[in-house]
Amino acid sequence: VSGRVQILVKEDAKSFATNVVGFLEGSDPQLKSEAVVFSAHMDHMGTRIDGDVFNGADDNASGSSGLLELAEAFGKGPRPARSVLFVSVSGEEEGLWGSHWFSENPTWPLPKIVADINIDMIGRTADLSGPRGISVTPSYSHTAFNTLVKDAVRLGGLLGVTEFTSGDKF
């Protein structure tokens, strides 16, 4: 089968995305110059081209709500040693606009950001894992992956989470 596809890209000068960044100063005089970022995206697309609905409560009102809960919990103290940035980005479904903007125009020096824990689709109800399972992306078994997800998998096992699936399969 052969065919021809023509793509027209238009720029909409009226379109924009807004990021919101919250800051909590760390308690340690040496470590407070470093930051841990918690991030989530707050935009949503509506429907796919085939008319199927993108469920905004899943992607990503759940991550945005989780980000607000984390900010509230950290705000109640005690303060962590490192500073914390709470970054809510927009335009992600349009091509990672907010994340790209933050990486190019950071509100904190990039070499001083020690981790970015991105929260997306908390409690997703897709067929990615069973009722006692959790899905993580990228794979918790990836040899170059950091210890955060590996530790979460270990802790999950202690809490009865017995099945782990990975974004590597998709």
Side-chain angles (χ1 to χ4, degrees):
V1 175
S2 65
R4 197 173 104 128
V5 174
Q6 183 176 7
I7 299 173
L8 174 64
V9 178
K10 292 183 178 182
E11 183 177 322
D12 184 348
K14 297 179 279 186
S15 295
F16 64 93
T18 302
N19 290 346
V20 178
V21 179
F23 166 73
L24 180 68
E25 186 175 37
S27 62
D28 184 278
Q30 306 308 123
L31 292 177
K32 70 181 183 179
S33 67
E34 297 179 346
V36 173
V37 174
F38 289 93
S39 61
H41 70 91
M42 59 182 150
D43 60 324
H44 181 62
M45 296 299 294
T47 57
R48 293 188 333 195
I49 197 167
D50 65 2
D52 195 19
V53 174
F54 286 115
N55 295 303
D58 189 10
D59 184 14
N60 188 30
S62 60
S64 296
S65 298
L67 184 67
L68 291 172
E69 290 294 323
L70 281 168
E72 181 180 21
F74 273 103
K76 290 179 179 176
R79 288 184 182 241
R82 289 182 173 86
S83 295
V84 181
L85 296 178
F86 303 96
V87 181
S88 181
V89 295
S90 188
E92 295 305 280
E93 306 295 355
E94 293 293 336
L96 304 176
W97 290 354
S99 296
H100 182 259
W101 178 264
F102 183 80
S103 69
E104 297 293 319
N105 304 276
T107 56
W108 197 269
L110 290 179
K112 293 286 193 168
I113 295 176
V114 298
D116 181 350
I117 301 167
N118 186 57
I119 307 162
D120 193 11
M121 298 189 212
I122 299 171
R124 183 165 191 164
T125 58
D127 292 331
L128 300 177
S129 60
R132 302 295 296 167
I134 189 170
S135 178
V136 293
T137 304
S139 172
Y140 66 92
S141 61
H142 191 282
T143 57
F145 199 68
N146 67 41
T147 60
L148 182 64
V149 173
K150 289 179 182 178
D151 289 345
V153 167
R154 186 177 43 76
L155 178 60
L158 295 173
L159 298 174
V161 177
T162 57
E163 180 184 339
F164 297 90
T165 57
S166 163
D168 287 351
K169 296 178 183 175
F170 307 111

